[in-house]
Amino acid sequence: MSEFKINDIVTFSQNGRYTYGRVVKVTEKRLTVFDFGIFDETVISKEKAKPVPPIPLGRETYKKLARYEITLPDVVKNNIPESIVNAGNYTVTISDLLCVLKKLRAEKIDFDTFGYEWFYYFDDVLSETEYENTDNDYYNENTVLEEIHDCLLFFEDYEINFDKLIGDVETFLSDKNKPLLKRHFTENAKIDLVRSLNDDTNLEMATEDEVTLYTKCAKELCEKNNREGLLAVGYGSYGGNRAFPCDWKKSEECMLKLIETVNTMPDQAFYANTLGYIYYYGRCNNRVPEYDKAYKYFSFAAFNQIFEAEYKIADMYRNGYGVPKSPETALNIIDRLYEENLQIFQKGIFNCKFADVAFRLGNICKDEKDASQDHYYCALAYYYQADFAIRMRMLEANNYGDEKVAQAIRKAFDEAKELVNFKPQKTIGFYDISHIFQSFLNGGNLLELKIKALSHGKYKLTFRAHNKNGEACPKRLFITIPELDMCGMYDSLTVTVTPRFYESFFCDEGTFLIDEMQYDRFSFDGFPVFICEDCEYKIKRPSQSDRKHRFVSVRFGPSEKTYDYLCENDNVKIGDSVTIQINKETSEATVVRIFEKSENETEFPLKFYKKL
């Protein structure tokens, strides 16, 4: 009996058919084989299998095969291509593939012949080939290989423009050792370059040469009404960035073209929202607002659920800008947006529009016609939230105009404090704490309530967010209590309860779930967990440290997603390459952001952040 090992090629009969396969598992009596005939694994006895002798190819022979100077039938004869062994570890080059393309063009070879003579084997080889030491991520040997492979892959269904493809490859090979700015780029390469640097963080980290190239490619694509080019120039010119100066007319022009050429949602709605801002502030009309145009585009964006457009329409109704003045309409819009964005913000998604809508709700309370101290305290609570939310958003992203939004919130915040002669307290008595958690429960979340008896008939209630099975990190509570100068993310809130009338008091010690709170009655699934009518609640600000902790955001490879790590090492800078251990394996990542947060500003408790 023959001795078999993994990756051996064998021939065998199965269900009346004669076929080949690759050994993937060996036991004492059986083989698990990947059957080339059905593209699936099958188990056979060793007696049924016969080894197929390998066909080792030296570097020169393999190179000839890679260049299509010889064919697979020339090499394998009565054997199969899977038996070929690249004995010289030859790597297929772009020059080899250029030879293949030229032969296909010259001899007008059809796909069936090409597959039989070359592609059947090299399809997998090209999929696994990756070149090292590329000097950029958007136009290098790997991207050219991928483009050639894609063309050959669809050769059967689509006609290849061999003249263009060969010309592009020849140009790439002649340019690849030139400085970046002197190379020629295909349109696909330009699109990849512009797309990779359209992210603000990537653009800030780019070299001067890359920014120059990005600007040039974006302009060329923009002139052809290419989406990536219009986006780069349109949003770059909206306030200006590292690549483009501020040019409102150019931004307007690009947004209008995008709306005409892009027929997908929510993309069109975002472009319309941008136009709404341009017209609302008169940026193309000597700072004279064009409210009719603004309302037109904001309405389109708002009907397609763009939050910014919705609260700008609310502003227009509140002030009567281009529409009949209707404070009630504005309040209805802002109330709804507040609840929707609060649900988003409570999940730790800080780059949302919660700051903007909380700020507007505060303004509505403060500017009430018959405003009282209660209205001013209500406004103060919303300003606390808006101030916290805009700071969190500015740590997450670099959005145009956020500095001005932050200044406006801070100004209104300070004015509200003066109106109520605000002085923060260390402890407060509260008679209704249900509103603290109402929005959290409305979002479908559960609270954990731990009840502990104290002396003198008092009880300590500790509230935490309940974690469902499978959630790796505990949720935090977004809590706002202006009297305690308290607004942020907290692990828990502790309340001391003193019942005044024990006949109207009901609770047991232990930990319980809560899904509903109404004044002094907390319930789960309709059953009361805690009842205390007319009792005194005392709340002390949690002893959470205000000390700032240094964080870094890193990105693994080309992925857009970032991950945050604690990093007290001041020597780590943006753009640095760092090694991170994940599940006992190490991975390379790039530092894209550095920021500081205190404990009540983090999405998760500090102990859940890994250290870099």
Side-chain angles (χ1 to χ4, degrees), residues 205 553-557 574-578 588-593:
M205 292 172 57
S553 289
V554 303
R555 182 178 292 162
F556 294 90
I574 290 177
D576 284 355
S577 180
V578 293
E588 292 294 320
T590 302
V591 177
V592 297
R593 189 165 65 100

Side-chain angles (χ1 to χ4, degrees), residues 46-63:
K46 287 184 175 180
E47 290 83 356
K48 288 186 177 181
K50 292 182 180 180
V52 176
I55 306 172
L57 299 183
R59 290 180 63 84
E60 286 305 314
T61 304
Y62 197 91
K63 180 178 180 180

Side-chain angles (χ1 to χ4, degrees), residues 71 150 358 424 492 550:
T71 67
D150 285 346
S492 64
R550 190 172 188 264

Side-chain angles (χ1 to χ4, degrees), residues 450-582:
K450 183 178 181 180
I451 304 174
K452 182 179 180 181
L454 304 176
S455 59
H456 307 295
K458 298 181 180 181
Y459 283 83
K460 182 171 77 171
L461 309 183
T462 302
F463 296 90
R464 293 182 182 275
H466 174 66
N467 256 41
K468 298 176 182 177
N469 290 336
E471 293 179 328
C473 293
K475 295 174 183 172
R476 307 192 79 197
L477 296 168
F478 177 53
I479 298 176
T480 306
I481 306 177
E483 295 87 345
L484 296 176
D485 192 28
M486 179 178 171
C487 182
M489 309 299 293
Y490 295 86
D491 298 334
S492 64
L493 182 70
T494 300
V495 181
T496 303
V497 182
T498 304
R500 293 190 176 188
F501 304 101
Y502 284 92
E503 62 272 15
S504 60
F505 180 78
F506 165 76
C507 80
D508 290 316
E509 284 195 290
T511 300
F512 307 90
L513 291 180
I514 294 175
D515 61 9
E516 184 180 8
M517 298 178 74
Q518 293 181 342
Y519 299 103
D520 302 328
R521 182 188 181 97
F522 312 153
S523 308
F524 179 72
D525 201 20
F527 294 95
V529 170
F530 177 91
I531 300 175
C532 182
E533 296 178 3
D534 193 17
C535 57
E536 181 182 16
Y537 294 93
K538 283 190 176 179
I539 305 177
K540 186 176 181 181
R541 188 171 190 239
S543 58
Q544 210 160 245
S545 172
D546 291 329
R547 182 172 79 88
K548 294 289 185 180
H549 299 269
R550 190 172 188 264
F551 288 83
V552 298
S553 289
V554 303
R555 182 178 292 162
F556 294 90
S559 170
E560 291 296 316
K561 191 171 182 179
T562 60
Y563 300 85
D564 295 341
Y565 289 82
L566 276 167
C567 178
E568 302 298 340
N569 185 349
D570 293 338
N571 293 322
V572 176
K573 307 295 182 187
I574 290 177
D576 284 355
S577 180
V578 293
T579 301
I580 295 174
Q581 188 166 355
I582 303 173

Side-chain angles (χ1 to χ4, degrees), residues 396-425:
E396 295 281 328
N398 180 27
N399 297 321
Y400 178 80
D402 273 358
E403 285 286 355
K404 288 185 177 180
V405 173
Q407 291 171 11
I409 291 172
R410 176 52 61 179
K411 183 173 182 289
F413 196 5
D414 293 339
E415 289 173 356
K417 285 183 177 180
E418 288 183 15
L419 286 171
V420 298
N421 192 24
F422 179 72
K423 293 180 181 178
Q425 305 171 47

Side-chain angles (χ1 to χ4, degrees), residues 86-106:
N86 184 1
N89 292 321
Y90 182 80
T91 300
V92 179
T93 68
I94 302 298
S95 296
D96 296 335
L97 298 179
L98 181 60
C99 293
V100 175
L101 295 174
K102 287 182 176 180
K103 180 172 180 175
L104 288 172
R105 178 179 65 178

Side-chain angles (χ1 to χ4, degrees), residues 230-285:
L230 289 168
L231 284 172
V233 177
Y235 281 109
S237 301
Y238 187 92
N241 63 10
R242 191 177 170 194
F244 298 99
C246 179
D247 186 339
W248 298 114
K249 288 297 292 182
K250 176 58 72 173
S251 184
E252 176 197 28
E253 176 189 320
C254 291
M255 294 304 125
L256 288 170
K257 286 182 179 177
L258 281 165
I259 286 180
E260 291 174 9
T261 57
V262 178
N263 298 316
T264 56
M265 288 294 176
D267 302 299
Q268 271 190 323
F270 280 118
Y271 310 146
N273 182 60
T274 303
L275 283 168
Y277 270 90
I278 289 173
Y279 298 131
Y280 184 91
Y281 291 105
R283 286 166 172 161
C284 293
N285 194 37

